[in-house]
């Protein structure tokens, strides 16, 4: 963290990609590898370092700031293992875990690829990858070097001389294989679009809301992430829209209420994607899923209420009967995706599609008929699907 960016005095470790600083990304990797102590080489304690310290300590790891390489000797014992990450290295956590989690190694890459990206040459055919995992006993040799030596280069040279094996990076074209040095704001901005695109899929089946949310995150996500608001502000906006939808129904504006629910659902999908970008955890496909499920229950309850209100007490059946068909519709919309394992069932999970369809039916004056018809259609679909599956599995 000693190297400043060319256009300023801030260390390159605090440059941001998708709202995540290089230092935060390295800390995430260290904690994912179950580091017990985190040691930062920096010229002094800054507010950014204090934030990192709090994150490390919250995860149960110790945190130390040192100003020169020799100070490592007093913090590392011979029985430790040391994971060293170069200044400015921005690597995808799952890829790095797979490489460094296999045991001691010095990570390398082809010379042409590495030198063009700013990495250090190791030999005729290989460049460094600015990451290694080495036995703690090797750190003692740093005491023999000048106090102002480059800690990463020195430790790398010591490790190679001691016979620590080299391990090659996978091809950088492989999905998720980000491994680059961030040396300037331009480097960070150049990486950001690809970084965000690869972290907004989550491995889930496509539906309309996820497509709209992905487009919104690609367009506005960087601004939200750099502003520090990210997923949290979008979740609050989604919650506000859901409650406004309920309020609109109270004033007999049921189509508007359903439209607001649809918009709120798209925002919640956007928040899930933003949360995945901010975390970049190894299981990032599951980040935000639990909270999205809770929001789905809220949206379902609001839409059931709106559809029941759509038939006024004076013109419609008793309240219990008015709630029956909407409850059955949304119950079936929850049951069928679990019973039928197919990609198209992702559309049944899309509350925005359901809300927009029902809003259109209400505007056309056939809201009650649409709810009953949709519930019957889903029930028939479940019966047919169950019969087909029984025939397939019957011996």
């Amino acid at each position: 963290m000693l190297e400043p960016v060319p256009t300023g005095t801030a260390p390159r470790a605090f440059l941001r990609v998708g709202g995540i600083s290089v230092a935060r990304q390295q800390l995430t990797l260290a904690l994912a590898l179950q580091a017990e102590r985190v040691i930062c080489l920096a010229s002094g304690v800054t507010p950014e370092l204090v934030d990192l310290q709090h994150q490390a300590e919250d995860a149960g790891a110790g945190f130390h700031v040192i100003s020169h390489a020799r100070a490592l000797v007093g913090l590392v014992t011979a029985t430790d293992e040391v994971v060293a990450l170069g200044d400015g290295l921005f690597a995808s956590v799952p890829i790095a875990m797979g490489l460094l989690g296999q045991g001691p190694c010095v990570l390398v890459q082809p010379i042409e690829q590495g030198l063009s990206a700013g990495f250090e040459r190791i030999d005729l055919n290989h460049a460094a990858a600015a990451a290694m995992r080495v036995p703690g006993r090797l750190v003692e040799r740093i005491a023999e070097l000048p106090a102002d030596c480059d800690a990463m280069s020195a430790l790398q040279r010591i490790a190679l001389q001691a016979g620590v094996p080299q391990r090659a990076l996978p091809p950088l074209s492989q999905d998720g294989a980000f491994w680059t040095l961030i040396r300037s704001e331009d480097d960070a901005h150049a990486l950001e679009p690809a970084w965000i695109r690869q972290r907004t899929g989550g491995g889930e089946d496509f539906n309309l809301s996820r497509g709209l949310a992905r487009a919104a995150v690609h367009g506005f996500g960087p601004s939200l992430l750099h502003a520090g608001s990210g997923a949290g502000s979008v979740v609050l906006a989604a919650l506000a829209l859901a409650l406004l939808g309920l309020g609109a129904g109270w004033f007999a504006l049921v189509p508007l209420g359903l439209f607001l629910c649809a918009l709120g659902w798209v925002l919640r999908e956007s928040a899930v994607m933003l949360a995945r970008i901010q975390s970049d955890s190894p299981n990032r496909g599951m980040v935000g899923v639990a909270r999205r499920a809770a929001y789905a229950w809220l949206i379902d309850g609001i839409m059931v209420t709106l559809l029941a209100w759509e038939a006024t007490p004076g013109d419609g059946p008793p309240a219990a009967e008015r709630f029956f068909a909407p409850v059955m519709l949304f119950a079936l919309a929850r049951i069928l995706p679990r019973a039928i394992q197919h990609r198209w069932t992702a559309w049944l999970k899309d509350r925005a599609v359901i809300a927009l369809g029902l809003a259109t039916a209400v505007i056309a004056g056939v809201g009650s008929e649409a709810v009953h018809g949709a519930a019957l259609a889903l029930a028939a679909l479940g019966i047919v699907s169950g019969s087909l599956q029984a025939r397939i599995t019957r011996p």
Side-chain angles (χ1 to χ4, degrees):
M1 297 185 181
L2 294 173
E3 188 69 25
V5 298
T7 57
T9 58
R12 64 171 66 171
F14 299 123
L15 293 173
R16 293 180 176 271
V17 176
I20 302 175
S21 71
V22 174
R24 166 68 185 279
Q25 183 73 358
Q26 292 188 0
L27 176 62
T28 300
L29 171 57
L31 296 176
L33 290 169
Q34 299 181 337
E36 296 178 359
R37 281 168 288 166
V38 177
I39 304 172
C40 292
L41 182 62
S43 56
V45 177
T46 64
E48 293 86 354
L49 280 176
V50 173
D51 289 340
L52 290 178
Q53 179 179 356
H54 291 161
Q55 293 167 21
E57 292 175 347
D58 289 344
F63 191 89
H64 307 272
V65 178
I66 60 176
S67 59
H68 55 84
R70 282 183 175 178
L72 281 171
V73 178
L75 294 172
V76 178
T77 68
T79 59
D80 289 333
E81 278 196 328
V82 177
V83 174
L85 305 173
D87 196 6
L89 175 66
F90 194 85
S92 180
V93 171
I95 299 297
M97 283 186 64
L99 293 167
L100 296 172
Q102 299 177 37
C105 65
V106 175
L107 298 185
V108 298
Q109 57 187 316
I111 189 68
E112 299 85 1
Q113 172 181 292
L115 290 185
S116 62
F119 290 90
E120 179 183 353
R121 177 191 289 271
I122 288 182
D123 54 36
L124 185 62
N125 298 315
H126 298 98
M132 68 188 84
R133 181 172 180 170
V134 299
R137 56 183 172 79
L138 299 181
V139 175
E140 296 178 358
R141 302 186 188 180
I142 292 180
E144 304 170 4
L145 302 176
D148 60 349
C149 69
D150 184 294
M152 190 69 187
S153 296
L155 190 56
Q156 179 176 267
R157 184 169 63 253
I158 292 170
L160 292 173
Q161 291 174 351
V164 175
Q166 298 180 10
R167 186 169 298 144
L169 295 181
L172 293 184
S173 59
Q174 180 178 327
D175 181 48
F178 280 102
W179 205 282
T180 185
L181 285 179
I182 305 295
R183 296 165 292 180
S184 65
E185 290 282 358
D186 291 340
D187 289 343
H189 290 315
L191 178 63
E192 192 167 69
W195 177 261
I196 289 176
R197 281 197 304 272
Q198 290 197 356
R199 275 142 190 83
T200 51
E204 297 177 304
D205 293 330
F206 176 84
N207 59 31
L208 177 63
S209 291
R210 289 171 190 158
L212 293 174
R214 189 173 296 122
V217 169
H218 292 173
F220 303 103
S223 299
L224 289 172
L225 292 167
H226 284 290
S229 51
S233 62
V234 180
V235 168
L236 292 177
L239 179 61
L241 285 172
L243 296 178
L244 286 173
L246 184 63
W250 179 261
F251 291 102
L253 300 173
V254 172
L256 176 60
L258 292 170
F259 176 78
L260 291 173
C261 288
L263 185 56
W265 183 255
V266 174
L267 287 183
R268 186 64 189 92
E269 290 286 333
S270 301
V272 170
M273 295 180 183
L274 288 169
R276 288 171 182 162
I277 296 170
Q278 290 175 303
S279 67
D280 192 45
S281 62
N283 63 337
R284 63 173 177 270
M286 297 303 297
V287 172
V289 171
R291 292 181 180 179
R292 181 174 62 193
Y295 187 81
W297 282 105
L298 174 65
I299 285 290
D300 284 0
I302 290 175
M303 287 199 288
V304 165
T305 303
L306 291 174
L307 293 169
W309 283 347
E310 194 267 331
T312 59
D315 300 329
E321 294 184 21
R322 287 187 285 114
F323 274 92
F324 179 76
V327 168
M328 291 301 299
L329 172 62
F330 284 94
L332 289 167
R334 285 183 169 275
I335 293 171
L336 287 185
R338 293 177 172 85
I340 304 174
Q341 303 297 323
H342 200 279
R343 287 185 176 181
W344 66 263
T345 59
W347 290 79
L348 291 179
K349 301 176 184 177
D350 191 342
R351 295 301 183 263
V353 168
I354 295 175
L356 291 175
L358 293 173
T360 302
V362 172
I363 292 173
V366 292
S368 180
E369 292 82 353
V371 172
H372 285 77
L376 287 173
L378 291 182
L381 183 61
I383 294 171
V384 171
S385 174
S387 300
L388 290 175
Q389 288 184 359
R391 289 184 180 181
I392 293 173
T393 57
R394 183 179 300 166

